[in-house]
Amino acid sequence: MQRRIEDYALIGDEQTAALVGRDGSVDWLCLPRFDSAACFAALLGDEDHGHWRIAPKGAGLCTRRAYRPDTLVLDTEWDTDEGSVRVTDLMPQRDRAPDLVRVIEGLSGRVTMRGLLQLRFDYGLVVPWMRRVDGERVAVAGPDSVWLRSEPPVRTWGKDFRTHSEFTVEKGEKVAFVLTWHPSHEPRPSLVDPFEALRVSVEDWQAWAARCRYDGPHRDIVVRSLITLKALTYAPTGGIVAAPTTSLPEELGGVRNWDYRYCWLRDSTLTLGALLAAGYHEEAEAWRDWLLRAVAGDPADLQIMYGIAGERRLSEYEVPWLPGFCGSYPVRVGNEAVQQLQLDVYGEVIDSLSLARSSGLPFKPHMWRVQVALLEFLRTAWRQPDEGIWEVRGPRRDFVYSKVMAWVAADRAVRSLEEYPELGGDPDVWRAMRDEVHQEVCERGYDAERNTFTQSYGSRELDASLLLIPRVGFLPPDDPRVIGTIDAIREELGGNGFVRRYTAEGTGLDGLPGGEGTFLVCSFWLAEALHLTGRTQEARELFERLVGLANDVGLLSEEYDPVAGRQLGNFPQAFSHIGLVGTAFALFGGEKAG
């Protein structure tokens, strides 16, 4: 059976994450950070590239699985002829070392379990040296060291460079395995109690979820999206990765396979807005602070993305020994788009910092200076063509959304001075810039014949990012040009009710062969745009359809193929879950659940 992206569930410790399949196999895990090399890379290859499966002997896919309510603790259950069993997977909040905990519990009968651990460091390339120390297994290769232990002790044996185990569990009986990573040159880290870690993890996640302010329809999926965003946060810095994976394809068998284990500035305003609306001010403040650190420096050197600690060098290379998910090659590490010019990010950063100020986040003295420096650079740079929000790898163009976000930058600066004149600055200069950008976009980025804004000046192509025009306040929702743009995007970029980013095939826009699926966050933007223009019932119906695309544990990838009925792209995708949360608040924020 061909694997599907939605067959996976996420566990993590807010520094890295793992994907667990319906068959009980952990097929993706990077240690010790999101952006480290994977030690389980079967997701992008096969079992020989590293995985860890625990399941009933001879069993296939699980009978059922679910997260424990309002947690990131995953229960996977099998009903067999021998009886029923549950495997509970989690990554407890770490002190120093990352731990992967797997607790096996007998539910009925007497079930024989099989375990197969195949560690392969450096994305499946390096086979570690395994040895036994004090009854436990330790794997070492270069800088990496991983310990495997069980409570109570379970016999393990090595064969064909794999670690095997077989044991039985009866009703009420529990066995736990703990996999712990640490640098090979350091002493072994302290041991974690797996059963206590399970208890504490459940309590901590549920306490965190209980803080969510949202109480409208679909609260479960909104909370699940917020938990997912929390899981994609790198706790030491507050940065939020776009996804915990690399190279899950936007088209099966295609080349549109990118590394998303980094932090994008384009996500900043929507992320901040979602966290603030849901009541998570600490997380919003941590993201704001990461943003301030990352963008520090010459405004001309502002990047579209950074590493989880603010790293700037994210050099892209291919991993030739991995065949890719369902043969989608190449597999890439790093992201060459880091070198692109995307002028919209200036607007998004300035908008984010303005939102942080108006929302009452703790004041940072240098925050206004950062905004002013960025805007002063943008005051002349906004006229340049760029690569645009979608990181096209074709020629630079005058993308309309980039110009709209330049307007946002000037508008937010003017508004900030109007509300906080003590900040200091020249609002007349920025008002002039705001008016000039607005006039140019309306003249050169609008197709009067078709009554729609276009993707770039002089183009007939459309772009789903234009759905944000009313949201950012560039034009009011009832403006005929806004309504015309929404209708045109639905007509030309819509597919089975969902929305593509742009027309990829045959336009030469992004310099890549093949196509892609409908983009989930763009479909959420459409729902919100419909609501803003008074078509709330249509918006809610679309939202219901989008929520229905989540997999059985409530997770969304980047894209969706409405023809094949499957998810595409890196998984789970922060932008998709941010879109879900934001649209839920827009549509139902004033309603009660029930």
Side-chain angles (χ1 to χ4, degrees):
M1 180 182 296
Q2 189 182 60
R3 292 176 300 159
R4 298 166 69 92
I5 290 170
E6 54 265 46
D7 288 338
Y8 288 95
L10 176 80
I11 58 173
D13 64 1
E14 295 181 59
Q15 295 192 43
T16 190
L19 293 185
V20 187
R22 293 177 187 267
D23 60 352
S25 180
V26 181
D27 287 348
W28 181 255
L29 175 62
C30 301
L31 292 173
R33 307 192 334 172
F34 290 108
D35 56 354
S36 300
C39 63
F40 298 143
L43 178 71
L44 301 178
D46 55 35
E47 292 183 353
D48 288 337
H49 296 109
H51 77 298
W52 183 17
R53 184 167 191 245
I54 298 178
K57 185 177 181 179
L61 300 182
C62 65
T63 306
R64 57 193 162 269
R65 65 175 181 172
Y67 287 112
R68 298 202 180 176
D70 291 350
T71 77
L72 201 66
V73 175
L74 179 70
D75 288 328
T76 306
E77 298 179 0
W78 287 263
D79 296 333
T80 74
D81 293 339
E82 294 181 307
S84 299
V85 66
R86 173 190 300 135
V87 176
T88 300
D89 290 315
L90 67 144
M91 294 188 72
Q93 295 292 312
R94 71 173 82 169
D95 180 17
R96 270 185 72 217
D99 298 292
L100 173 54
V101 175
R102 315 196 73 181
V103 178
I104 301 91
E105 179 180 3
L107 302 178
S108 67
R110 180 183 176 89
V111 181
T112 302
M113 302 294 293
R114 291 294 308 269
L116 176 59
L117 171 65
Q118 191 164 342
L119 282 160
R120 297 293 183 267
F121 296 119
D122 196 15
Y123 300 103
L125 180 65
V126 177
V127 180
W129 183 263
M130 298 285 293
R131 68 183 191 275
R132 191 182 296 274
V133 178
D134 298 329
E136 300 176 19
R137 295 269 175 178
V138 59
V140 177
D144 297 297
S145 179
V146 169
W147 291 75
L148 174 69
R149 61 187 177 87
S150 59
E151 293 185 20
V154 170
R155 175 179 172 265
T156 62
W157 68 94
K159 181 181 179 182
D160 299 327
F161 301 102
R162 301 171 176 88
T163 299
H164 301 257
S165 61
E166 183 170 312
F167 57 97
T168 60
V169 287
E170 299 181 356
K171 181 179 179 180
E173 189 176 5
K174 295 181 181 180
V175 175
F177 288 86
V178 182
L179 192 76
T180 304
W181 178 96
H182 72 100
S184 59
H185 65 278
E186 293 185 0
R188 177 183 176 173
S190 57
L191 302 182
V192 63
D193 181 332
F195 304 107
E196 179 67 7
L198 172 57
R199 183 190 67 79
V200 171
S201 291
V202 169
E203 290 180 355
D204 286 351
W205 276 111
Q206 289 179 342
W208 187 86
R211 292 165 47 201
C212 177
R213 287 178 180 167
Y214 182 80
D215 194 28
H218 300 289
R219 188 178 191 278
D220 288 349
I221 193 74
V222 171
V223 172
R224 175 55 51 200
S225 292
L226 289 163
I227 288 173
T228 303
L229 290 178
K230 178 73 167 171
L232 298 181
T233 301
Y234 184 64
T237 67
I240 302 174
V241 296
T245 56
T246 179
S247 301
L248 288 179
E250 297 176 13
E251 178 184 45
L252 289 183
V255 301
R256 298 168 183 265
N257 317 316
W258 315 109
D259 193 347
Y260 275 17
R261 297 171 299 159
Y262 309 112
C263 307
W264 266 256
L265 299 189
R266 74 180 184 210
D267 304 3
S268 58
T269 306
L270 296 174
T271 301
L272 197 65
L275 292 171
L276 289 169
Y280 292 106
H281 283 244
E282 291 179 12
E283 288 75 12
E285 183 181 355
W287 172 244
R288 188 275 312 270
D289 291 348
W290 175 89
L291 191 64
L292 282 170
R293 292 191 301 270
V295 304
D298 188 338
D301 296 332
L302 187 71
Q303 298 183 177
I304 67 167
M305 73 181 84
Y306 295 86
I308 54 180
E311 297 90 347
R312 289 174 171 263
R313 295 184 183 274
L314 310 176
S315 302
E316 181 179 306
Y317 62 91
E318 296 180 4
V319 182
W321 57 87
L322 284 177
F325 184 88
C326 295
S328 304
Y329 184 84
V331 170
R332 295 181 174 94
V333 171
N335 201 309
E336 192 176 277
V338 72
Q339 302 173 20
Q340 291 188 350
L341 174 66
Q342 293 181 24
L343 293 171
D344 62 286
V345 300
Y346 289 85
E348 282 140 3
V349 170
I350 291 172
D351 194 17
S352 296
L353 298 180
S354 296
L355 176 61
R357 181 183 295 107
S358 63
S359 299
L361 291 185
F363 178 71
K364 291 283 185 178
H366 62 293
M367 193 165 71
W368 178 244
R369 294 199 301 273
V370 170
Q371 289 177 273
V372 171
L374 293 174
L375 186 55
E376 284 303 299
F377 170 79
L378 191 59
R379 197 150 60 90
T380 55
W382 73 267
R383 297 179 179 84
Q384 300 179 40
D386 69 345
E387 275 93 358
I389 182 177
W390 303 126
E391 295 158 20
V392 297
R393 300 201 174 191
R396 290 182 176 179
R397 305 185 183 199
D398 286 301
F399 285 101
V400 171
Y401 179 74
S402 296
K403 311 300 185 187
V404 168
M405 292 309 295
W407 176 91
V408 168
D411 178 72
R412 301 312 188 255
V414 170
R415 291 189 187 188
S416 294
L417 274 185
E418 290 173 346
E419 188 171 359
Y420 307 99
E422 67 275 10
L423 290 172
D426 190 345
D428 291 336
V429 171
W430 297 333
R431 284 193 189 98
M433 172 188 167
R434 181 177 65 178
D435 293 344
E436 183 182 359
V437 176
H438 198 280
Q439 181 178 347
E440 181 177 294
V441 169
C442 291
E443 290 177 354
R444 301 183 62 192
Y446 174 69
D447 184 339
E449 179 184 343
R450 296 156 65 208
N451 188 29
T452 181
F453 286 95
T454 59
Q455 183 177 58
S456 60
Y457 291 171
S459 168
R460 291 186 59 83
E461 300 295 330
L462 301 182
D463 193 306
S465 62
L466 303 173
L467 292 167
L468 294 173
I469 283 177
R471 190 183 196 278
V472 301
F474 183 82
L475 286 172
D478 59 356
D479 189 294
R481 292 167 293 183
V482 170
I483 296 171
T485 299
I486 294 170
D487 291 341
I489 288 172
R490 292 177 82 183
E491 176 68 25
E492 297 188 25
L493 297 182
N496 295 289
F498 308 122
V499 180
R500 290 170 291 153
R501 295 184 293 178
Y502 53 84
T503 304
E505 301 91 338
T507 65
L509 170 71
D510 57 19
L512 295 166
E516 61 182 26
T518 58
F519 215 70
L520 291 176
V521 75
C522 297
S523 301
F524 283 114
W525 292 347
L526 174 59
E528 189 168 349
L530 289 170
H531 169 63
L532 288 172
T533 53
R535 291 174 277 185
T536 299
Q537 186 57 39
E538 291 180 66
R540 292 186 173 191
E541 290 172 0
L542 176 55
F543 183 80
E544 295 278 350
R545 293 191 65 195
L546 290 168
V547 167
L549 301 183
N551 72 353
D552 59 316
V553 290
L555 301 180
L556 290 168
S557 65
E558 180 182 35
E559 301 178 13
Y560 182 74
D561 182 345
V563 177
R566 60 186 296 168
Q567 297 192 27
L568 294 171
N570 284 303
F571 174 88
Q573 175 79 358
F575 221 13
S576 298
H577 286 281
I578 292 164
L580 188 155
V581 173
T583 305
F585 271 98
L587 296 180
F588 309 109
E591 298 186 15
K592 291 288 185 181

